[in-house]
Amino acid sequence: MQSNDLAQLPLRQRIKARAERLFGAWGVFFKGFLKHPVMVGSIVPSSDRTIRKMLAPVPWKDVQLFVEYGPGVGTFCRPVLDKLPRNATYIAIDTNPDFIRYLRKTIPDSRFIAVHGSAADVEDIIASHGFAHADFVLSGLPLSTLPGTVADDIAQATHRALRPGGAFLIYQFNTFTTQLLRPYFERIDRGYELLNVLPCHLFWGWKAQGDSAAEHGNR
């Protein structure tokens, strides 16, 4: 966007565009927060400590499909790709087209697929890319603030989409997630990371190994 084009935009859009231009990923993230504050949840991406702790339980050598809801500007994307096997796939789903465009532009990895869509449609999304189930699903969506039954719809769809023994990994700023996961997941592990803005609660909801709702294997 040229300077003369920028001058023609309303003040709010000029602020967003200048933030994106000046601060790169931070600008895109800030723009996304201004545009959809309920969906982004935080104005600051997760800390390195949060990322390491959240991903620690994942047995990477066994992962064929890793899914993320609300990837934003890719705070988790690069650490996940660093650990993901060469023949695995990583699908990132976001309702914000600005984030999806940014991810497609900045992550040139053949294993990575950025999808503009809803987490509630995860089953259809992974099926459209040739998978029956995901091994792990990560979410930073602010589940407690989502409207209506959306959070519960996401929890149910995620449980169905996961293979037996897989897990739903969630980081949040409150403990709402426990009651959301309890009806669907056999075991819920919890953690906490103080060195994050804001300090956040970590959850790992594990799907039962013998769950008959899905069969092991992705393809």
Side-chain angles (χ1 to χ4, degrees):
M1 183 178 293
Q2 301 298 318
S3 297
N4 57 341
D5 296 329
L6 187 62
Q8 303 303 315
L9 295 174
L11 177 61
R12 183 183 177 89
Q13 292 184 32
R14 291 205 303 271
I15 293 172
K16 291 178 182 178
R18 282 171 177 155
E20 181 174 343
R21 177 183 293 178
L22 288 171
F23 300 110
W26 282 85
V28 177
F29 197 88
F30 181 65
K31 177 181 176 182
F33 180 82
L34 290 178
K35 193 172 182 179
H36 301 290
V38 172
M39 294 303 296
V40 175
S42 172
I43 198 169
V44 180
S46 301
S47 71
D48 290 343
R49 285 177 60 93
T50 299
I51 294 169
R52 288 195 298 270
K53 188 176 291 187
M54 186 84 264
L55 298 178
V58 178
W60 293 102
K61 63 181 179 62
D62 299 326
V63 176
Q64 295 180 45
L65 176 61
F66 190 97
V67 176
E68 181 179 3
Y69 304 153
V73 295
T75 307
F76 272 87
C77 294
R78 292 162 185 82
V80 170
L81 288 167
D82 286 344
K83 297 176 179 295
L84 203 65
R86 291 184 179 179
N87 62 344
T89 300
Y90 181 0
I91 297 177
I93 305 169
D94 207 300
T95 58
N96 189 324
D98 294 330
F99 289 157
I100 294 301
R101 282 193 294 270
Y102 180 81
L103 293 173
R104 289 172 178 170
K105 181 173 66 175
T106 59
I107 304 181
D109 191 309
S110 61
R111 298 169 298 170
F112 182 74
I113 303 170
V115 177
H116 180 219
S118 169
D121 298 324
V122 61
E123 294 166 283
D124 291 338
I125 290 171
I126 66 175
S128 71
H129 289 89
F131 292 90
H133 304 109
D135 296 290
F136 291 87
V137 176
L138 169 70
S139 176
L141 296 175
L143 297 169
S144 64
T145 66
L146 298 182
T149 63
V150 173
D152 192 64
D153 293 343
I154 290 173
Q156 290 190 57
T158 302
H159 180 266
R160 292 192 299 265
L162 281 167
R163 65 163 172 82
F168 191 11
L169 287 57
I170 304 174
Y171 55 102
Q172 300 281 282
F173 301 130
N174 57 48
T175 58
F176 167 80
T177 302
T178 301
Q179 65 191 62
L180 179 69
L181 296 181
R182 189 173 290 125
Y184 309 110
F185 292 87
E186 179 188 41
R187 188 180 96 231
I188 302 170
D189 297 332
R190 293 181 54 178
Y192 186 74
E193 180 49 58
L194 183 63
L195 297 180
N196 193 77
V197 182
L198 302 166
C200 65
H201 298 268
L202 312 178
F203 304 87
W204 299 268
W206 296 89
K207 184 168 180 175
Q209 284 283 357
D211 198 316
S212 60
E215 296 179 358
H216 184 72
N218 289 319
R219 296 184 186 276

